[in-house]
Amino acid sequence: MKSYGEFCALARALDVIGDRWTMLVVRELLVGPSRYSDLNKALPGIATNLLAARLRTLEEAGVVTATDAPAPVSARVYSLTEWGQGLQRSLVELARWGVPLMSTGAGEDHSRGRWLVFAVMALYPEPDAAQQVTGFPTVTVRIDADGDSVLLVSDTSGVRASVASAHEPAEVIVAGTSEKVFRTLSGGGDSHAEIKGDADAIRRFSMLTSLALTSERSDRLPA
């Protein structure tokens, strides 16, 4: 990306992350460290040479680092540096701003279950805001969506999610398309995912979804 040539922190940040696909690469690495092949699979539509160029630029800028993983992985694994992790708050706030745009549904857009890890970051308050909502209910949830599984853990300190195995034990199992799961996690919409678990666990899960940060933003989409 050609520099904006402006002595402005925003302009210089965009010099590094303002290219097309770059922030989605960062999103994937916020979900977790990934091999090149994993990134290529998780970013449908990106050309392989463009992905390589974006990773190279981010490495040179100190946003991403790559290490050689030992067997049985035997591949270079990309992850965010500490400075790169600092992008999480900004990207999460941008995603929260975009939540009203999800109301039109998935349509023909690509979906990946692993993206729900990032959705959880955007849908629920950060731990330092937990006191404002009198804490989070304690519940573990496995989400099965679009070929991926995600483990959501909620407790009094906050809500976390990570990619998991398809057999990860949990109190509640939520299954469906990414769109249906997103609507379920956001506590709104008519088309919900399938939810399994005992009555008490489902009650605690329902308490959690009622805390999603979408209700206050649902009417902000311009006509």
Side-chain angles (χ1 to χ4, degrees), residues 24-104:
L24 295 185
V25 171
V26 173
R27 178 200 65 194
E28 290 305 310
L29 297 179
L30 284 170
V31 171
S34 301
R35 298 172 298 178
Y36 180 90
S37 58
D38 296 328
L39 289 169
N40 194 48
K41 180 181 178 181
L43 294 167
I46 192 171
T48 56
N49 62 331
L50 182 58
L51 174 58
R54 295 295 182 262
L55 287 169
R56 183 169 57 251
T57 298
L58 289 170
E59 279 193 83
E60 291 172 352
V63 176
V64 166
T65 186
T67 56
D68 292 316
V73 178
S74 299
R76 287 182 69 74
V77 176
Y78 296 89
S79 58
L80 293 172
T81 63
E82 183 178 356
W83 189 51
Q85 288 283 348
L87 286 165
Q88 178 173 330
R89 184 184 295 271
S90 297
L91 265 63
V92 164
E93 283 302 319
L94 185 59
R96 287 175 179 167
W97 179 83
V99 162
L101 300 171
M102 303 291 279
S103 63
T104 57

Side-chain angles (χ1 to χ4, degrees), residues 116-139:
L116 291 166
V117 174
F118 186 76
V120 167
M121 298 181 196
L123 286 173
Y124 298 101
E126 294 181 16
D128 60 0
Q131 292 129 11
Q132 299 175 20
V133 291
T134 65
F136 292 93
T138 298
V139 64

Side-chain angles (χ1 to χ4, degrees), residues 101-111 177 179-180 183:
L101 300 171
M102 303 291 279
S103 63
T104 57
E108 298 300 315
D109 286 353
H110 296 287
S111 289
T177 64
E179 179 178 356
K180 288 185 177 180
R183 292 184 184 280

